């Protein structure tokens, strides 16, 4: 990773204004993705994985606000770009796919048209060529009989097929970065593997960098070069997959790993971690947001800390790493 | 699409049959004896009996019903005792007046309320959103006959900028030759601008009072529906794909949001058909509503029956049209057929 990274997020903080007060959902998040690298972003539900992705893409809810940070992508800071210029990049240079592919597609528009819309928008094809180009995209994501499927509506396709269409939309303009937010949640296990293989293969073909958001450490280890662990809006650990599995240094990561049974993936796994995420509306949150759930807690854990290097490409945010 | 049309037509048949029975019974159950009314106060019982026989009212109910259905099948709705004309002819000459008024009111309401609702949803919390809220609360608290009377009072009586509320066209102007029966269209067809502006001036107040009431439900539904669609996953996908705001709002959001709006549009339309009776009375509008009111006041069965039947058929056609429109917008409906 000597070349400039594909994406370098630094010091990203996001807060949401809600009825119950301001929620500091992300605090000083750093995330780096090398060119062609596949990085997993893992953490339990509510830890801020999606918000990190949305903030980077510039598609946060109106209630959400980026309070600090930068996201360097191809020489530009995504967080500082005006919406008009950012929209030019979205779908062309950086793309995103979502969980629930059925609801993530426009229910009353033919899937071929939805792919064509993106192609036409970013100059990937003229209006006349777009239908044919859309069929080609469907072929690239291995949808059988793409000519016929292009004319289908999402409700006429299975969940797995819809996710392939989502991938076709995201990759239509050959972006250099793909953020996949739990792309396989809600799909059956066989389809999960097929979709993951497909994303991996297409990424390798075009040298695309991928951020893969998931709950599932086993899946992350299988498909990703590096794993980044999030907890309550903080990045707590980042290491190459094998290294993380061999020796996690953050107590939270260790807990996550202990809850992941070997090679087989488990959906319930993450629930067996003691305690809950802290309430992010609190004003007296300790510097280490995990400390209140941590059995190794010491009085020093409340004072400020940052990600520190503990090994070759291995970062941990803990005063007393394992 | 053809399947959808046929299946919806089939479900409309029982409603039509029901309407025929109900209109028949309804008029027979209305208070007042038309024979006595037309014989006059000084008539002998004998004369009344004669008139009753002439009207066929001395037969048993089933027999009367049979005669009624036979007449219906040949397009004969009977003769109005007050105008002396066949009811079918009466209704056909008056229907365009009501239709022009209702359609213009509906068009006005939709043309204002739908863009207002869309903008209010897209720019939530902005001044246009507040305007939308004011319109939706004010609109429902103003009943049609009240706005009608108020408008006539203010614009005709006080300000004298509107013509007298007496019908479709000023007495000094000649109506355009009959093509569609809509004065606005017919006058344009023969390039008679004087008649066009005259007809528009007469239409303005009654159409506006009907439109104002319809604004509220339309704007509220458009805003709500747009808001819920804009919060949907596929809008996030569209934005993540960098699609232009115009595409996101119209091609993606609005086309999905329009379905419940169409339903409300249908409800508003049927409501306006009913409101015609009041507005036509206030503005002396020679439509079928006023015709029915006059007939009702004189226990003249046939026009009332004809009016109810016409309205019912309009409602049924309207619902059919809405179902088809739904099918046109939403592919999932097409499949259900
Ligand atoms: N629109 C919003 N308004 C208020 N709070 C929000 C909003 N969106 C997200 N949050 C808060 O941000 C936090 C992180 O949410 P996020 O969706 O990023 O979690 P996640 O890690 O993606 O979880 P999951 O695995 O369930 O998708 C949550 O505590 C959530 O309550
Ligand atoms: Mg999420």
């Amino acid at each position: 990773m000597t070349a400039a990274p594909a994406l370098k997020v630094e010091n990203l903080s996001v807060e949401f204004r809600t009825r119950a007060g301001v929620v500091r959902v992300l605090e000083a998040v750093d995330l780096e993705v090398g060119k062609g690298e596949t990085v997993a972003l893992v953490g339990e539900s509510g830890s801020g994985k999606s918000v990190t992705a949305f903030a980077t893409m510039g598609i946060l809810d109106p209630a959400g606000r980026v309070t600090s940070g930068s996201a360097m992508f191809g020489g530009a800071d995504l967080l500082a770009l005006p919406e008009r210029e950012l929209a030019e990049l979205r779908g062309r240079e950086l793309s995103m796919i979502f969980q629930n592919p059925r609801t993530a597609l426009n229910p009353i528009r033919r899937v071929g048209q939805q792919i064509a819309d993106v192609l036409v928008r970013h100059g990937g094809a003229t209006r006349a060529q777009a239908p044919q180009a859309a069929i080609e995209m469907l072929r690239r994501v291995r949808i059988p009989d793409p000519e016929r499927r292009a004319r289908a509506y999402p409700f006429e396709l299975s969940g797995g097929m819809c996710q392939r269409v989502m991938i076709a939309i995201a990759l239509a303009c050959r972006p250099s970065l793909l953020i996949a937010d739990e792309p396989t949640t809600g799909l059956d296990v066989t389809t999960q593997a097929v979709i993951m293989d497909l994303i991996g293969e297409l990424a390798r073909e075009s040298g695309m960098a991928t951020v893969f958001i998931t709950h599932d450490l086993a899946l992350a280890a299988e498909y990703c070069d590096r794993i980044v662990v999030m907890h309550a809006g903080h990045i707590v650990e980042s290491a190459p997959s094998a290294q993380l599995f061999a020796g996690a240094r953050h107590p939270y990561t260790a807990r996550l790993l202990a809850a992941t049974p070997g090679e087989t993936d488990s959906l319930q796994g993450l629930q067996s971690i003691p305690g809950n995420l802290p309430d992010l509306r609190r004003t007296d949150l300790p510097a280490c947001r995990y400390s209140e759930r941590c059995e190794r807690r010491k009085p020093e854990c409340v004072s400020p800390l940052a990600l520190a290097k503990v090994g070759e490409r291995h970062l941990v945010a803990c005063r007393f790493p394992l | 699409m053809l399947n959808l049309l046929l299946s919806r037509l089939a479900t409309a048949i029982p409603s039509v049959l029901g309407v025929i029975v109900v209109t028949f019974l309804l008029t027979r159950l209305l208070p007042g004896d038309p024979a006595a009314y037309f014989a006059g106060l000084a008539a002998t019982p004998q004369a009344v009996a004669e008139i009753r026989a002439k009207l066929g009212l001395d037969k048993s109910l089933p027999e009367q019903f049979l005669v009624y259905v036979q007449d219906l099948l040949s397009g004969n709705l009977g003769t109005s005792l007050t105008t002396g004309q066949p009811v079918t002819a009466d209704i056909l000459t008056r229907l365009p007046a009501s239709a022009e008024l209702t359609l213009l009111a509906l068009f006005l309401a939709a043309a204002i309320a739908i863009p207002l609702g869309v903008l209010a949803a897209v720019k939530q919390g902005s001044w246009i959103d507040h305007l939308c809220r004011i319109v939706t609360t004010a609109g429902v608290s103003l009943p049609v006959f009240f706005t009608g009377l108020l408008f006539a009072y203010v614009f005709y009586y006080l300000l004298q900028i509107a013509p007298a509320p007496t019908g479709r066209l000023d007495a000094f102007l000649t109506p355009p030759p009959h093509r569609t029966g809509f004065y606005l269209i017919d006058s344009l067809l023969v390039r008679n601008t004087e008649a066009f502006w005259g007809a528009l001036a007469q239409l303005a107040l009654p159409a506006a009072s009907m439109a104002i009431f319809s604004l509220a439900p339309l704007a509220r539904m458009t805003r709500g529906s747009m808001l819920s669609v804009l919060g949907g996953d596929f809008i996030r996908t569209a934005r993540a794909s960098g699609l232009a705001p115009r595409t996101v709002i119209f091609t993606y959001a609005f086309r999905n949001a329009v379905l419940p709006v169409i339903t409300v549009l249908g409800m508003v339309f049927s409501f306006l058909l009913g409101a015609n009776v009041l507005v036509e009375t206030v503005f002396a509008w020679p439509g079928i509503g006023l015709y029915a009111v006059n007939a009702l006041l004189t226990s003249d069965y046939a026009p009332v029956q004809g009016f109810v039947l016409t309205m019912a058929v309009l409602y049924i056609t309207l619902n059919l049209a809405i179902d088809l429109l739904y099918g046109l917008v939403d592919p999932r409906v097409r499949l259900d057929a």
Side-chain angles (χ1 to χ4, degrees):
Chain A
M1 294 310 126
T2 44
L7 173 72
K8 189 176 171 74
V9 176
E10 273 181 312
N11 193 33
L12 172 64
S13 302
V14 170
E15 56 183 39
F16 278 91
R17 273 157 305 161
T18 66
R19 263 177 235 281
V22 174
V23 196
R24 283 175 302 280
V25 168
L26 295 186
E27 197 176 69
V29 164
D30 293 336
L31 178 68
E32 193 175 316
V33 188
K35 292 215 164 78
E37 192 188 18
T38 305
V39 173
L41 192 56
V42 300
E44 65 201 299
S45 197
S47 52
K49 307 180 296 289
S50 299
V51 171
T52 307
F54 293 163
T56 309
M57 295 284 294
I59 54 170
L60 272 180
D61 264 36
R65 200 165 63 88
V66 174
T67 51
S68 76
S70 63
M72 297 308 292
F73 176 80
D77 180 3
L78 298 176
L79 303 182
L81 278 185
E83 165 61 21
R84 184 180 281 273
E85 285 171 44
L86 191 53
E88 292 283 338
L89 292 180
R90 283 202 297 261
R92 194 184 67 191
E93 287 297 324
L94 77 163
S95 287
M96 186 157 175
I97 56 183
F98 304 92
Q99 105 181 54
N100 295 331
R102 282 172 167 289
T103 56
L105 293 172
N106 187 342
I108 61 170
R109 202 159 172 78
R110 296 180 198 280
V111 296
Q113 270 175 323
Q114 300 190 43
I115 302 173
D117 285 340
V118 180
L119 283 165
V120 171
R121 157 75 172 125
H122 295 297
T126 64
R127 214 162 269 286
Q129 302 163 339
Q132 195 51 44
I135 291 172
E136 281 317 308
M137 264 328 286
L138 289 176
R139 206 188 307 283
R140 260 184 80 201
V141 296
R142 320 254 148 69
I143 289 188
D145 199 358
E147 286 84 1
R148 194 168 59 84
R149 290 285 161 64
R151 300 187 47 74
Y153 292 97
F155 73 94
E156 297 170 313
L157 302 176
S158 68
M161 281 297 156
C162 284
Q163 194 56 287
R164 285 168 197 250
V165 173
M166 271 300 308
I167 296 172
I169 290 176
L171 302 191
C173 298
R174 299 184 178 265
S176 52
L177 175 70
L178 172 72
I179 303 179
D181 190 355
E182 306 190 34
T184 60
T185 313
L187 300 179
D188 64 79
V189 179
T190 355
T191 319
Q192 273 188 13
V194 175
I195 293 289
M196 287 309 296
D197 286 335
L198 180 66
I199 296 176
E201 215 170 297
L202 295 172
R204 237 168 293 125
E205 266 175 32
S206 56
M208 177 178 72
T210 312
V211 176
F212 171 52
I213 296 177
T214 182
H215 285 167
D216 192 331
L217 263 175
L219 205 62
E222 194 177 340
Y223 290 96
C224 300
D225 307 322
R226 196 153 52 87
I227 296 178
V228 175
V229 183
M230 259 192 117
H231 175 267
H234 285 166
I235 302 285
V236 296
E237 186 160 12
S238 161
S241 303
Q243 204 169 324
L244 192 86
F245 265 72
R249 306 293 302 273
H250 196 284
Y252 178 63
T253 316
R255 276 289 183 179
L256 277 183
L257 284 172
T260 308
E263 295 293 70
T264 57
D265 35 23
S266 142
L267 295 174
Q268 264 67 51
L270 297 181
Q271 285 165 10
S272 53
I273 297 177
N276 291 314
L277 287 176
D279 182 351
L280 299 181
R281 280 169 310 196
R282 277 167 47 188
T283 47
D284 60 338
L285 280 173
C288 172
R289 290 181 175 180
Y290 183 65
S291 59
E292 285 165 3
R293 303 167 78 182
C294 181
E295 63 262 36
R296 306 173 68 252
R297 178 181 56 236
K298 301 220 168 74
E300 294 91 317
C301 290
V302 296
S303 45
L305 89 172
L307 271 176
K309 202 162 175 161
V310 291
E312 181 65 20
R313 304 181 60 217
H314 194 154
L315 302 172
V316 171
C318 181
R319 290 185 170 272
F320 308 100
L322 294 168
Chain B
M1 209 57 206
L2 191 68
N3 281 348
L4 181 71
L5 179 66
L6 291 179
S7 78
R8 292 299 192 270
L9 269 179
T11 54
I13 291 173
S15 336
V16 174
L17 293 180
V19 164
I20 291 175
V21 175
V22 169
T23 47
F24 173 78
L25 290 178
L26 194 70
T27 47
R28 293 315 186 266
L29 293 176
L30 285 176
D33 181 354
Y37 180 88
F38 282 96
L41 283 178
T44 58
Q46 228 169 333
V48 174
E50 253 172 52
I51 292 182
R52 183 167 292 132
K54 213 176 94 193
L55 296 176
L57 295 175
D58 55 341
K59 299 206 177 76
S60 71
L61 269 188
E63 274 177 305
Q64 288 187 36
F65 183 68
L66 225 62
V67 173
Y68 169 64
V69 172
Q70 269 169 1
D71 284 349
L72 266 189
L73 287 177
S74 56
N76 178 4
L77 292 173
T79 303
S80 163
L81 300 175
T82 26
T83 66
Q85 299 287 321
V87 171
T88 317
D90 273 348
I91 286 186
L92 283 181
T93 49
R94 276 155 226 254
L95 193 57
S98 299
E100 183 170 39
L101 177 59
T102 314
L103 287 176
L104 183 68
L106 193 70
F107 173 79
L108 273 179
I112 297 171
I114 293 179
L116 185 65
V118 169
L119 284 175
V122 171
K123 300 201 184 302
Q124 218 189 330
S126 67
W127 65 270
I128 202 141
D129 193 11
H130 295 303
L131 178 70
C132 183
R133 192 160 312 130
I134 292 169
V135 164
T136 51
T137 24
V140 279
S141 45
L142 296 171
V144 168
F145 70 91
F146 174 74
T147 13
L149 285 172
L150 185 74
F151 278 5
Y153 178 72
V154 173
F155 293 104
Y156 166 64
Y157 181 76
L158 286 186
L159 302 176
Q160 307 197 334
I161 50 174
T166 52
R168 298 181 78 185
L169 206 56
D170 193 282
F172 297 112
L173 292 171
T174 29
H178 182 98
R179 300 267 175 81
T180 59
F182 288 16
Y183 280 7
L184 290 183
I185 297 177
D186 288 352
S187 60
L188 283 183
L189 284 177
V190 296
R191 295 181 206 294
N192 182 348
T193 44
E194 205 185 1
F196 177 81
W197 291 115
L200 194 60
Q202 296 286 350
L203 270 167
L205 294 189
S209 35
M210 283 163 77
I212 282 182
F213 191 85
S214 331
L215 279 179
L218 277 173
R220 177 164 341 112
M221 182 49 93
T222 308
R223 179 178 179 275
S225 174
M226 271 302 276
L227 274 182
S228 84
V229 169
L230 282 172
D233 285 356
F234 68 92
I235 294 298
R236 196 180 51 196
T237 307
R239 298 219 298 132
S241 312
L243 296 186
R246 200 164 19 92
T247 319
V248 175
I249 291 169
F250 295 107
T251 318
Y252 279 67
F254 184 68
R255 281 202 49 201
N256 275 279
V258 83
L259 292 168
V261 177
I262 292 176
T263 309
V264 172
L265 205 62
M267 275 157 49
V268 165
F269 195 12
S270 16
F271 168 81
L272 287 184
L273 285 177
N276 260 336
V277 175
L278 296 169
V279 175
E280 289 180 6
T281 311
V282 171
F283 289 92
W285 199 258
I288 55 172
L290 190 58
Y291 179 61
V293 170
N294 288 339
L296 201 60
L297 293 176
T298 55
S299 301
D300 193 356
Y301 281 171
V304 177
Q305 216 168 38
F307 169 78
V308 175
L309 206 61
T310 311
M311 289 302 240
V313 170
L314 282 177
Y315 280 121
I316 293 170
T317 321
L318 180 70
N319 281 317
L320 205 64
I322 291 206
D323 277 349
L324 292 181
L325 209 55
Y326 241 87
L328 223 52
V329 176
D330 192 341
R332 288 163 295 192
V333 176
R334 252 172 280 166
L335 205 78
D336 286 349

